[in-house]
């Protein structure tokens, strides 16, 4: 059985603009391959090759350009969570681990399926300085499942802004049926 993750996954949101962008770019490319002898442009029938060429370029720019932009937005929405996951795994492997005390669990302004996502805020004293760490958006409340009311935080000593609050690793085994 697979362990339940408390972190809300958002990569699937990018699949819709990715698909729409592919459809728009495919229509733009197919339109470039369709043979045209004469074109009815604004009620005027013309057979000049320059008018046909300009029509094809305008259509390619309109459909292909908007399709490309939509595709790139979808690609960013899919790729960014994968990048975050790799960054968190690198911090877990190479970063410094500290046990942080939970100070707050609050809802965010992000709503999914009429439920507000939440974030966990924790604090740890590192080299005599108190640092506050915030988790990624959470789909479930992890507080009942945490060991000793503490979470593990992995951070980069060279850049304290690079950290990862490991809620899944700090919780007991939770399996969703």
């Amino acid at each position: 059985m697979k362990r339940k993750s408390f972190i809300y996954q958002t990569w699937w949101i990018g699949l819709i603009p990715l698909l729409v962008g592919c459809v728009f770019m495919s229509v733009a490319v197919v339109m470039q391959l369709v043979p045209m002898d004469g074109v009815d442009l604004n009620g005027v029938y013309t057979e000049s090759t320059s008018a046909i060429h300009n029509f094809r370029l305008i259509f390619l720019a309109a459909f292909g350009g908007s399709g490309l932009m939509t595709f790139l937005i979808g690609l960013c929405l899919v790729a960014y969570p994968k990048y975050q996951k790799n960054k968190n795994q690198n911090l877990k492997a190479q970063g410094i681990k500290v046990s942080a005390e939970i100070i707050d669990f609050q809802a965010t302004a992000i709503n999914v399926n009429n439920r507000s996502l939440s974030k966990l805020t924790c604090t740890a004293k590192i080299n005599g300085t108190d640092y506050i760490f915030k988790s990624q958006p959470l789909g479930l409340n992890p507080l009942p499942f945490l060991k000793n009311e503490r979470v593990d935080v992995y951070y980069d000593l060279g850049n304290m802004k690079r950290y990862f609050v490991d809620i899944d690793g700090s919780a007991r085994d939770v399996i969703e049926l």
Side-chain angles (χ1 to χ4, degrees), residues 90-102:
N90 286 342
L91 277 172
K92 217 170 168 180
Q94 299 171 356
I96 300 170
K97 178 182 175 182
V98 66
S99 181
E101 179 184 348
I102 298 169

Side-chain angles (χ1 to χ4, degrees), residues 107-176:
T108 63
I110 303 169
N111 287 321
V112 177
N113 296 333
N114 292 327
R115 283 186 31 214
S116 181
L117 297 182
S118 53
K119 284 192 175 189
L120 190 72
T121 305
C122 55
T123 183
K125 187 175 283 265
I126 302 171
N127 297 332
T129 305
D130 286 329
Y131 287 96
I132 295 176
F133 302 102
K134 293 186 178 183
S135 71
Q136 294 174 317
L138 306 172
L140 296 172
N141 181 0
L143 293 178
F145 306 104
L146 292 176
K147 304 171 194 169
N148 303 327
E149 298 291 322
R150 299 182 78 77
V151 292
D152 294 334
V153 176
Y154 297 91
Y155 66 94
D156 183 5
L157 188 59
N159 183 4
M160 289 300 291
K161 291 182 181 179
R162 286 180 40 102
Y163 64 87
F164 168 57
V165 179
D166 186 20
I167 294 173
D168 293 337
S170 301
R172 296 186 309 266
D173 289 338
V174 178
I175 298 173
E176 183 176 11

Side-chain angles (χ1 to χ4, degrees), residues 46-137:
T46 181
E47 290 187 16
S48 74
T49 57
S50 66
I52 294 172
H53 180 71
N54 290 341
F55 173 75
R56 285 181 186 267
L57 287 179
I58 290 171
F59 192 85
L60 179 64
F63 254 70
S66 60
L68 181 64
M69 292 304 295
T70 308
F71 180 81
L72 290 175
I73 289 169
L75 190 63
C76 289
L77 289 173
V78 169
Y80 185 72
K82 302 293 183 189
Y83 164 76
Q84 282 289 106
K85 186 176 180 180
N86 287 340
K87 185 182 85 166
N88 293 343
Q89 286 176 347
N90 286 342
L91 277 172
K92 217 170 168 180
Q94 299 171 356
I96 300 170
K97 178 182 175 182
V98 66
S99 181
E101 179 184 348
I102 298 169
I103 57 174
D104 194 17
F105 179 74
Q106 62 185 358
T108 63
I110 303 169
N111 287 321
V112 177
N113 296 333
N114 292 327
R115 283 186 31 214
S116 181
L117 297 182
S118 53
K119 284 192 175 189
L120 190 72
T121 305
C122 55
T123 183
K125 187 175 283 265
I126 302 171
N127 297 332
T129 305
D130 286 329
Y131 287 96
I132 295 176
F133 302 102
K134 293 186 178 183
S135 71
Q136 294 174 317

